[in-house]
């Protein structure tokens, strides 16, 4: 079946611009996660959705970052006034959302470059 | 706060040799533990996970890991490396009452013919 998909695969923007990154989870998965992976580092948690609501947004670095999941499926990560330090690979993952220790299935990521 | 330490950012092994990737965690309560693999330009793929059942966990592609509470370790091994094992490997923890993964810095494996 189809896995987690993310669009675009690559995004180049200029400092100060606004960007949106999209994640399509595996069909039927109610849990959705965003992570950020900087060069040479492991992924870092940003936010976790259960259904339409953000159950844990403790990883969002500041108020320039915002994520939504209005219908409980597709999610969009929004970054305002981008900075060069935002350059990273943004990973999305999903899981069924009904178990205790669920496997998170990752998408290929969106590589964001802020010039 | 939980943390994960992977010793060695790069490991080079010969084809057919043992692969050993080290992972230590810090947590006041034994967490759930995971190993993921990342091939170039692909998403993270789960190799195996420890969920407080058997301490020796077998995963895909011939990998296994052993949870040792006394050493707070969850090292990943494979008896015989294959060229296709060249990738980056990440150890991760999840606290018992949570859902987010905390990852180590990763270990890149190079397999020499």
């Amino acid at each position: 079946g189809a896995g987690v998909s993310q669009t675009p695969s690559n995004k180049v923007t200029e400092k100060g611009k606004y960007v949106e990154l999209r994640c399509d989870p595996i069909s039927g998965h109610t849990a959705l996660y965003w992570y950020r992976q900087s060069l040479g580092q492991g992924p870092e948690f940003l936010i976790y959705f259960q259904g339409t609501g953000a159950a844990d947004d403790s990883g969002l670095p500041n108020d320039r970052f915002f994520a939504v999941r209005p219908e409980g499926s597709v999610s969009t990560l929004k970054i305002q006034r981008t900075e060069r330090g935002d350059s990273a690979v943004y990973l999305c993952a999903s899981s069924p959302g009904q178990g205790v220790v669920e496997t998170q299935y990752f998408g290929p990521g969106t590589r964001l470059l802020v010039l | 706060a939980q943390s994960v330490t992977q010793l060695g950012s790069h490991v080079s092994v010969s084809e057919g040799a043992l692969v050993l990737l080290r992972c230590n965690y810090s947590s006041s309560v034994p967490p759930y533990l995971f190993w993921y693999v990342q091939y170039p330009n692909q998403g993270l793929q789960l190799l195996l996970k420890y969920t407080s059942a058997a301490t020796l966990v077998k995963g895909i592609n011939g990998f296994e890991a052993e949870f040792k509470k006394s050493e707070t370790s969850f090292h990943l091994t494979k008896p015989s490396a294959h060229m296709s094992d060249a990738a980056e490997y990440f150890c991760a923890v999840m606290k018992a009452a949570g859902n987010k993964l905390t990852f180590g810095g990763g270990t890149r494996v190079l397999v020499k013919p």
Side-chain angles (χ1 to χ4, degrees):
Chain A
V4 177
S5 62
Q6 294 185 245
T7 55
S9 54
N10 291 279
K11 176 71 177 178
V12 181
T13 190
E14 294 179 343
K15 179 176 178 295
K17 299 290 189 183
Y18 167 84
V19 296
E20 291 189 350
L21 312 179
R22 176 187 168 108
C23 172
D24 281 85
I26 293 172
S27 178
H29 280 192
T30 61
L32 185 145
Y33 313 80
W34 284 99
Y35 293 85
R36 177 169 71 173
Q37 185 174 18
S38 300
L39 192 63
Q41 299 182 22
E44 293 179 301
F45 170 80
L46 295 176
I47 187 169
Y48 153 58
F49 285 90
Q50 181 59 257
T52 60
D56 184 351
D57 64 357
S58 61
L60 294 177
N62 51 59
D63 60 6
R64 296 188 296 106
F65 289 75
F66 190 71
V68 295
R69 196 185 184 200
E71 298 179 356
S73 178
V74 170
S75 176
T76 304
L77 178 66
K78 308 180 180 193
I79 310 174
Q80 298 178 320
R81 304 182 304 280
T82 53
E83 299 178 356
R84 293 193 179 88
D86 298 335
S87 296
V89 177
Y90 289 82
L91 300 171
C92 177
S94 71
S95 68
Q98 293 155 13
V100 176
V101 189
E102 298 186 331
T103 297
Q104 295 181 20
Y105 297 88
F106 283 80
T110 293
R111 188 175 301 273
L112 175 67
L113 177 61
V114 182
L115 300 177
Chain B
Q2 299 178 106
S3 69
V4 181
T5 302
Q6 291 184 240
L7 287 177
S9 58
H10 292 79
V11 168
S12 180
V13 299
S14 298
E15 191 174 17
L18 170 73
V19 179
L20 169 61
L21 304 182
R22 300 179 186 275
C23 173
N24 289 86
Y25 67 90
S26 65
S27 175
S28 57
V29 177
Y32 302 118
L33 294 151
F34 303 75
W35 275 100
Y36 278 85
V37 60
Q38 188 174 37
Y39 298 103
N41 300 316
Q42 294 187 29
L44 291 158
Q45 179 182 3
L46 182 72
L47 280 176
L48 49 81
K49 65 182 179 183
Y50 167 75
T51 59
S52 74
T55 56
L56 182 62
V57 182
K58 294 187 182 299
I60 62 171
N61 301 340
F63 284 93
E64 63 181 36
E66 185 172 9
F67 172 69
K68 291 187 177 180
K69 181 179 177 181
S70 61
E71 299 177 6
T72 60
S73 69
F74 190 57
H75 301 332
L76 181 72
T77 60
K78 181 174 180 176
S80 177
H82 191 272
M83 296 300 291
S84 62
D85 294 327
E88 189 154 22
Y89 293 79
F90 292 94
C91 181
V93 301
M94 178 191 294
K95 66 180 182 181
N99 289 279
K100 64 185 180 184
L101 292 167
T102 300
F103 287 87
T107 298
R108 187 171 297 278
V109 173
L110 172 66
V111 182
K112 299 177 293 184

